[in-house]
Amino acid sequence: MDKSKYTLVTLRVSLICAFNRPDVTYKAPEPRGEHFFAESFDKGTLDGWVVSQAKKDDIDEEIAKYDGKWEVEEMKDTKLPGDKGLVLKSRAKHHAISALLLRPFTFDTKPLIVQYEVNFQNGIDCGGAYVKLLSQSPDLSLAQFVDKTPYTIMFGPDKCGEDYKLHFIFRHKNPKTGEYEEKHAKKPESDLRTYYTDKKTHLYTLVLNPDNSFEILVDQTVVNSGSLLSDMTPSVNPPAEIEDPDDHKPEDWDERPKIQDPDAVKPDDWDEDAPAKIPDEDAVKPDGWLDDEPEYIADPDAIKPEDWDEDMDGEWEAPQVPNPACESAPGCGKWERPMIDNPNYKGKWKPPMIDNPNYQGVWKPRKIPNPDFFEDLHPFRMTPVSAVGLELWSMSSDIFFDNFFITYDRNTAELWADEGWGLKKAAEGAAEPGLMNQMISAAEEKPWLWVVYVLTVALPLVLIIVFCCTGKVCVGGMKLSKISWC
């Protein structure tokens, strides 16, 4: 083998070996603290889950059924053999499945932490992957779970077209009327696109605190945060005052900040009839202008169609084409002076605008106390929840859900995340091309990069060998003696 080729191969093999990463072995996560729900699906069944048998109201019978299929299986391109999850299998179907919590969660003095994993294995065109925490009620029937089933919180990703969303919605009970209204968190400022397009497993976490603060995390990084009191739409608490619906603007109210000057008079020398454009009297016809040549002539190569009927179609005329005689001339046809702006043009005279002495400002109705006003300073105290559910429509199939967890203890949630999503992240990272493989792939496309690699890696090695073996090396014209570590 050629010595230079041998050196490159040796370098390539040694670098690959140096950057190899160990395989990741799957082990199902285990809840290690207080929790209300923990599901890894690694038992391989839907035990504990109820597929809805209901139909949606007010839509065609053919699409009203919740007949979308659910399966428990591994990801199609799994990096962790043995790791199973809940998979939404059908396209363009209604899906609904739910499971009871170990015990209801009551919003009192402890935070609520909800987290789960999603992988859009086929990407996502239009559809949701959010969860609902179903409100505790004696009427709750998981087999009849539909879109109108009362929920307390809805949380998770949703996408249609180029609209990338990460929902956090809670249903707030009006303390005066008893009616519920959805409150939507502000939109995250972060760019969410990658989470929907990279086909990786992502961990979604919602943290709600008794002080009404909230955090939304993706892959354990905060992407949105705020307060239930100030960062929800519509606002939890209505305004204390509203505009009086019975108040009307007086007929003589003047809202005009400027008016035409009533004392202004048109100047005597103002000529409203002067044209905006006039011929340029200084213009001169260019030399070589062909006055007797038309700009367009009949196409000499055109032939009357055989099916042309002059009785029906009229006299045939060849189509017009640019006159070739004009190509080298500055112009053809009758020369006319170009038009320029008229310096004496003033246009229609209008009186100048002045401040309106009667201006009263923009009229607004007077404020009155809001008869529907209330003040709820503790919106965290929501309706207790007793079940978790997925009620989804999707135009994409094979959406992978895994490792649902509900607790009030952040450390417990993080341990569960580390053993579940953390393991997936490590496995996906190990399966990606390492730095060395990326360098090698780049060099295969651009062979000149091998020269850069050799100069970067091999040259320092050669200098060290020469230094150690000969005892001396010249650097900048100076001879250095071999030192002891050689």
Side-chain angles (χ1 to χ4, degrees):
M1 179 184 291
D2 179 75
K3 191 171 183 180
S4 61
K5 290 183 179 179
Y6 176 80
T7 303
L8 290 178
V9 171
T10 303
L11 175 64
R12 180 173 179 172
V13 171
S14 59
L15 288 175
I16 291 174
C17 293
F19 281 85
N20 269 347
R21 282 169 285 194
D23 294 334
V24 180
T25 303
Y26 179 68
K27 179 182 178 182
E30 297 180 4
R32 301 181 184 277
E34 289 293 328
H35 62 282
F36 295 79
F37 191 78
E39 176 61 87
S40 67
F41 299 102
D42 291 317
K43 57 183 178 293
T45 70
L46 284 174
D47 290 350
W49 291 82
V50 178
V51 177
S52 177
Q53 305 299 313
K55 296 181 181 180
K56 296 190 76 169
D57 294 334
D58 306 324
I59 63 173
D60 293 340
E61 181 72 18
E62 294 182 359
I63 60 172
K65 294 180 180 179
Y66 282 89
D67 55 356
K69 302 300 181 184
W70 299 94
E71 297 288 348
V72 174
E73 59 188 23
E74 295 183 7
M75 277 191 283
K76 293 186 295 183
D77 186 24
T78 185
K79 307 297 187 297
L80 282 176
D83 178 27
K84 296 182 175 64
L86 176 67
V87 182
L88 179 149
K89 298 294 293 182
S90 312
R91 292 181 68 253
K93 295 281 188 180
H94 292 291
H95 300 73
I97 192 170
S98 55
L100 291 173
L101 306 188
L102 297 175
R103 60 190 184 281
F105 181 90
T106 302
F107 296 85
D108 45 30
T109 61
K110 294 185 181 297
L112 170 70
I113 301 173
V114 181
Q115 68 183 26
Y116 69 106
E117 300 167 13
V118 179
N119 186 306
F120 296 111
Q121 299 185 88
N122 295 336
I124 181 71
D125 179 27
C126 187
Y130 43 79
V131 298
K132 291 182 177 180
L133 301 187
L134 305 184
S135 302
Q136 184 181 24
S137 167
D139 300 327
L140 178 61
S141 170
L142 301 189
Q144 296 300 310
F145 176 32
V146 293
D147 58 325
K148 295 181 180 178
T149 299
Y151 70 89
T152 299
I153 288 173
M154 189 173 104
F155 167 65
D158 188 12
K159 185 246 182 185
C160 201
E162 292 302 309
D163 191 10
Y164 299 84
K165 298 179 180 178
L166 182 51
H167 292 296
F168 164 41
I169 304 171
F170 79 95
R171 294 174 71 243
H172 178 258
K173 184 178 181 180
N174 187 312
K176 295 188 71 172
T177 66
E179 296 180 352
Y180 285 87
E181 184 178 37
E182 289 184 350
K183 309 295 182 180
H184 296 246
K186 63 182 181 181
K187 189 174 182 178
E189 296 181 359
S190 306
D191 185 359
L192 306 176
R193 188 183 307 267
T194 302
Y195 305 129
Y196 300 79
T197 58
D198 62 5
K199 297 184 180 180
K200 293 182 179 180
T201 303
H202 294 289
L203 177 69
Y204 295 89
T205 306
L206 170 67
V207 180
L208 278 180
N209 297 305
D211 65 358
N212 300 314
S213 64
F214 69 84
E215 287 183 325
I216 296 172
L217 301 90
V218 181
D219 299 345
Q220 298 182 321
T221 298
V222 176
V223 298
N224 199 4
S225 62
S227 168
L228 301 179
L229 287 169
S230 58
D231 296 299
M232 308 299 292
T233 304
S235 176
V236 167
N237 293 308
E241 292 185 322
I242 60 171
E243 294 180 346
D244 185 354
D246 298 323
D247 192 15
H248 301 286
K249 182 171 69 173
E251 293 182 2
D252 60 351
W253 190 277
D254 195 338
E255 292 184 319
R256 300 172 301 165
K258 297 281 187 179
I259 60 171
Q260 292 183 344
D261 185 355
D263 299 325
V265 178
K266 181 173 72 172
D268 292 336
D269 61 350
W270 191 283
D271 185 1
E272 292 185 341
D273 298 325
K277 297 282 186 178
I278 59 173
D280 183 1
E281 297 299 332
D282 297 328
V284 178
K285 181 170 67 174
D287 293 337
W289 189 279
L290 304 179
D291 297 85
D292 298 329
E293 290 285 350
E295 289 188 66
Y296 293 89
I297 62 172
D299 185 355
D301 298 325
I303 301 175
K304 182 172 71 173
E306 295 181 0
D307 59 352
W308 188 274
D309 187 338
E310 293 194 356
D311 294 332
M312 296 289 294
D313 303 321
E315 183 181 355
W316 181 80
E317 294 181 356
Q320 297 287 299
V321 296
N323 186 348
C326 301
E327 291 182 359
S328 58
C332 290
K334 182 182 177 182
W335 180 79
E336 295 181 350
R337 297 180 185 277
M339 303 297 285
I340 61 173
D341 292 335
N342 183 358
N344 297 318
Y345 172 73
K346 296 183 179 181
K348 186 74 175 177
W349 181 84
K350 294 180 181 179
M353 302 298 288
I354 62 171
D355 291 335
N356 181 3
N358 298 318
Y359 176 62
Q360 296 173 269
V362 178
W363 182 85
K364 293 181 180 179
R366 63 174 172 264
K367 295 283 189 176
I368 61 172
N370 184 358
D372 298 322
F373 175 73
F374 62 82
E375 188 173 39
D376 179 1
L377 299 179
H378 305 286
F380 172 79
R381 297 173 186 172
M382 305 175 191
T383 305
V385 296
S386 59
V388 60
L390 299 165
E391 187 271 317
L392 305 168
W393 166 276
S394 177
M395 292 304 294
S396 301
S397 60
D398 293 313
I399 302 176
F400 184 92
F401 299 87
D402 202 5
N403 294 331
F404 291 88
F405 199 70
I406 299 176
T407 183
Y408 58 72
D409 184 79
R410 197 150 191 168
N411 290 332
T412 301
E414 289 177 354
L415 285 172
W416 175 269
D418 290 342
E419 294 185 2
W421 173 77
L423 206 59
K424 283 191 181 71
K425 182 181 179 183
E428 289 174 350
E432 290 182 346
L435 174 61
M436 215 53 254
N437 285 332
Q438 294 178 36
M439 292 171 62
I440 292 167
S441 297
E444 289 173 350
E445 293 181 8
K446 302 175 180 178
W448 56 266
L449 284 174
W450 283 114
V451 177
V452 177
Y453 298 163
V454 170
L455 291 175
T456 303
V457 177
L459 186 58
L461 292 176
V462 171
L463 290 174
I464 292 173
I465 292 171
V466 170
F467 183 83
C468 292
C469 295
T470 65
K472 294 182 179 179
V473 66
C474 290
V475 178
M478 296 185 297
K479 290 185 177 181
L480 303 178
S481 298
K482 181 171 65 176
I483 57 178
S484 60
W485 53 262
C486 291

